[in-house]
Amino acid sequence: MIVNLDVTLRDGGYRNNFDFPLEYAVHHARESVAAGMEWVEIGYRNGSFKPQPGIGRTGVGADDYIRAVAEAVSPDRLCMILHPKNITSEDLGRMYEAGIRLVRFCLPSGAPEPGLALLAEAAELGFTTTVNITRVSQLDRRRLVDLAGLSGDAGADVVYLADSNGSMLPREVSQLVTLVRSVTDAAIGLHAHNNLGLALANAIAAVEAGATWIDSSVLGMGKGPGNLVTEQWLAYLGRHNRPTDHGGYDLGRILNLAHRMESEIAEATPSLPLPDLVLGHFDLSVEERAKLPVDRIGDAFSAARELTAAGAR
C-alpha cells in the first residue's frame, strides 16, 4: 500500500514565506484529507533550517495553529516536520497535545545523534516518526547506509530519501531505494523535487523499487521549482489501479482544491525558473542560487559549471 503525504503547506511555504491565511490552511488540510491523502503536513515547528524574518504561521507551527487545524481534521492525519536544533522535548509533548500524530525529523548527516535521541522520545510519546535524509544525491552511499540503519534502530517508522536538489534520475532513485531497503526494516519514502521535470518519473521508480511513502504538493507548490504534483500523482495512481487501504483518492476534489489555491495564493502558480533547472542539472543546492547571476542565464550556467568543477577538486 502507498501512503501519500501532502507537503503543500510546508514546502509551498518557501514561496510565500509560509504566510498562508489560517482559513485557507484549515480548508487545505480538510480537503486534502477528504480527498484520501493519508497525511497532511501542516508546517514546520519553530522554523526551517535557517532563520527567516517575519516567517508565517506554517513556518512557526504554533500550538494554537495546530489546534485550529485539528478541530477540522482528525489528529490521526496531521503531521509536522522539524529540524532537531530548533526544538526541545517540551515541544514534542506540546505538539502531541495540540493534535499532531506524525513528526518528521530532518536529520543532519554530520551529527545525527541529537535528532535520533529526540526521535526516540517522540516514538515513546506515541508519534509515528519519519527521518528525512536530505540531499541524498550528494551523500556518500556508505554514509546513507549508516544513517538509514541508525534511524531504524532509533525507532523511525519511515526513512525518507529527499532529492532536495531535484537532480536525481529514475535509475538512481531505484538504486537508492533498493540499497536502503537492504539495511532497515523501516518503510522507505521519497520526497522529490522537480528541477529536471522528473519528480513523477522518480516517484514511479521509487514505488516500483519498494518505496511505500510518497510526498507531493498541490500544483507542485514547493521550494524552487516545486515538488511532485499531487494531481498528476493521483491521476497516475488511478490509471494504474494502485491499491489503497481505503476507498481510493478523489482526484476531482484535489483538482477543485488546486483551482482554489491557484486563485487565492499568488505564489502557487506552477513555474520552472531557468536558474533552478541549472541547479538541478549540476546537482547544486538551492542555497547556491545566490552565487549565480540569475538575470543572465548563460552566465549563470557557466558559473554553475565552475562551482561544480571547484567542488570536484
Side-chain angles (χ1 to χ4, degrees):
M1 298 292 179
I2 296 171
V3 178
N4 282 299
L5 195 151
D6 177 350
V7 301
T8 314
L9 295 173
R10 192 272 305 180
D11 215 322
Y14 282 101
R15 293 194 187 174
N16 67 348
N17 202 30
F18 304 92
D19 193 23
F20 290 93
L22 178 59
E23 189 275 335
Y24 178 79
V26 171
H27 172 80
H28 185 101
R30 183 193 299 118
E31 289 302 295
S32 179
V33 168
M37 299 293 282
E38 283 81 3
W39 293 95
V40 57
E41 183 179 79
I42 65 172
Y44 274 114
R45 178 69 170 192
N46 296 342
S48 59
F49 184 76
K50 293 183 178 180
Q52 293 179 242
I55 192 171
R57 63 174 47 82
T58 71
V60 175
D63 295 347
D64 57 351
Y65 166 58
I66 296 172
R67 291 192 185 96
V69 182
E71 288 178 2
V73 181
S74 168
D76 290 337
R77 310 293 281 276
L78 299 183
C79 70
M80 297 192 90
I81 198 166
L82 53 87
H83 287 277
K85 68 183 181 66
N86 291 347
I87 72 149
T88 65
S89 300
E90 181 183 357
D91 281 297
L92 293 174
R94 288 170 55 186
M95 290 166 68
Y96 194 93
E97 181 181 358
I100 297 297
R101 292 297 180 268
L102 167 61
V103 284
R104 298 175 11 118
F105 291 80
C106 295
L107 197 66
S109 60
E113 291 78 13
L116 293 173
L118 284 168
L119 183 145
E121 290 185 35
E124 285 292 321
L125 286 170
F127 285 107
T128 299
T129 59
T130 86
V131 161
N132 287 40
I133 302 176
T134 59
R135 297 180 184 169
V136 291
S137 59
Q138 296 180 329
L139 195 60
D140 178 83
R141 292 196 176 192
R142 284 175 291 185
R143 186 56 178 160
L144 175 59
V145 165
D146 290 341
L147 291 172
L150 289 169
S151 300
D153 291 344
D157 295 296
V158 189
V159 173
Y160 260 92
L161 307 177
D163 182 19
S164 310
N165 297 348
S167 63
M168 295 185 70
L169 305 177
R171 59 176 172 79
E172 295 171 326
V173 171
S174 180
Q175 290 167 358
L176 291 191
V177 170
T178 300
L179 176 64
V180 173
R181 285 186 70 203
S182 72
V183 298
T184 180
D185 291 330
I188 311 301
L190 178 71
H191 179 85
H193 278 261
N194 207 31
N195 296 62
L196 300 181
L198 292 174
L200 179 58
N202 285 341
I204 294 170
V207 168
E208 290 180 347
T212 53
W213 286 60
I214 300 293
D215 287 2
S216 67
S217 61
V218 174
L219 291 175
M221 187 182 182
K223 182 186 283 189
N227 305 101
L228 172 65
V229 179
T230 300
E231 308 89 87
Q232 292 179 344
W233 178 237
L234 295 189
Y236 164 78
L237 293 179
R239 290 280 294 168
H240 286 263
N241 297 312
R242 291 287 186 178
T244 67
D245 61 0
H246 51 75
Y249 302 101
D250 188 340
L251 177 59
R253 196 159 194 156
I254 286 290
L255 290 172
N256 284 331
L257 177 59
H259 179 72
R260 175 171 174 177
M261 191 170 82
E262 191 172 38
S263 301
E264 298 183 11
I265 310 296
E267 300 84 356
T269 303
S271 66
L272 177 55
L274 294 179
D276 290 308
L277 191 153
V278 171
L279 292 175
H281 175 72
F282 287 105
D283 193 18
L284 295 172
S285 72
V286 70
E287 284 74 20
E288 302 289 347
R289 203 178 199 271
K291 300 177 182 179
L292 306 181
V294 295
D295 57 336
R296 304 188 308 277
I297 193 62
D299 292 342
F301 187 88
S302 298
R305 181 164 49 199
E306 290 174 8
L307 282 173
T308 303
R313 288 198 289 266

